[in-house]
Amino acid sequence: MRQRHASQAIRRAREFEAFVAGAAGRLLHAATLLTAEAPDDNPRARRLLTLSLAHTYACWDRLRGEDPYDRTRQYLATRFEHGAWHQYGGFGRSRPHPASPLAPLTPQERLILVLRLYEGVGEEQTAALLGLSTERVRAICHRATTTLLRRSRNPGAAVPAAKAVPS
């Protein structure tokens, strides 16, 4: 009996390690986009990802055919949205990194944009996950996209005014 439990635990650990090896990079990038941190300095995104992976590991045996990536992404998104992770160091209260491409967006706009465009989650699924109407998700995604497009057309607006250096 003990050997069977031990072998199940080893199998579970190996499966989870394989999942993390394959999915952690993409999930970390999504978390970094959500927190609007610099890619090389993203402690809030790493903590958010760690909490999400820990949740996935805790319910690993109950997944039963569910995609662990989807489960982890859902938990990452809801954890970010509901601010439940604020208590772990006040992450949500800090300002986005100015070099982040999604820095000018609100947290909700970043979340919807990351789910819809980076992760490819459908409008209906995003709306259900966030408890919003499909029309609201569509409007927020459109507004966020417009904000980013306006910013890319006017790159001078993205950089604070700097003093000109005489040549």
Side-chain angles (χ1 to χ4, degrees):
M1 184 80 158
R2 270 191 182 159
Q3 284 183 333
R4 190 174 89 185
H5 287 297
S7 67
Q8 286 176 340
I10 291 170
R11 179 187 49 81
R12 177 183 188 213
R14 284 185 182 151
E15 287 174 354
F16 186 74
E17 286 173 9
F19 163 69
V20 170
R26 183 170 175 90
L27 287 165
L28 178 60
H29 188 70
T32 303
L33 290 172
L34 288 174
T35 58
E37 294 177 293
D40 56 341
D41 184 27
N42 54 3
R44 292 175 292 147
R46 289 178 184 279
R47 192 167 300 157
L48 179 60
L49 176 60
T50 300
L51 293 170
S52 300
L53 288 172
H55 180 266
T56 302
Y57 185 73
C59 63
W60 190 258
D61 292 332
R62 294 178 303 224
L63 288 176
R64 293 193 183 101
E66 246 186 277
D67 184 2
Y69 185 87
D70 285 342
R71 172 66 70 97
T72 306
R73 180 183 57 216
Q74 286 174 357
Y75 193 75
L76 185 108
T78 55
R79 191 93 175 171
F80 178 79
E81 183 207 16
H82 293 123
W85 55 296
H86 289 277
Q87 62 183 327
Y88 299 102
F91 305 137
R93 294 178 187 93
S94 61
R95 296 178 187 256
H97 190 277
S100 171
L102 303 183
L105 303 178
T106 66
Q108 185 181 45
E109 289 172 336
R110 284 196 308 261
L111 177 58
I112 290 174
L113 209 62
V114 168
L115 288 173
R116 292 282 298 121
L117 301 180
Y118 180 72
E119 288 292 323
V121 178
E123 281 180 351
E124 295 82 15
Q125 290 174 306
T126 302
L129 177 66
L130 303 179
L132 300 171
S133 70
T134 305
E135 294 79 22
R136 183 78 179 128
V137 167
R138 188 177 302 126
I140 292 170
C141 189
H142 178 72
R143 182 178 64 221
T145 306
T146 302
T147 300
L148 293 177
L149 288 174
R150 253 192 239 132
R151 184 175 184 207
S152 70
R153 286 188 195 136
N154 186 7
V159 179
K163 294 182 180 180
V165 178
S167 321

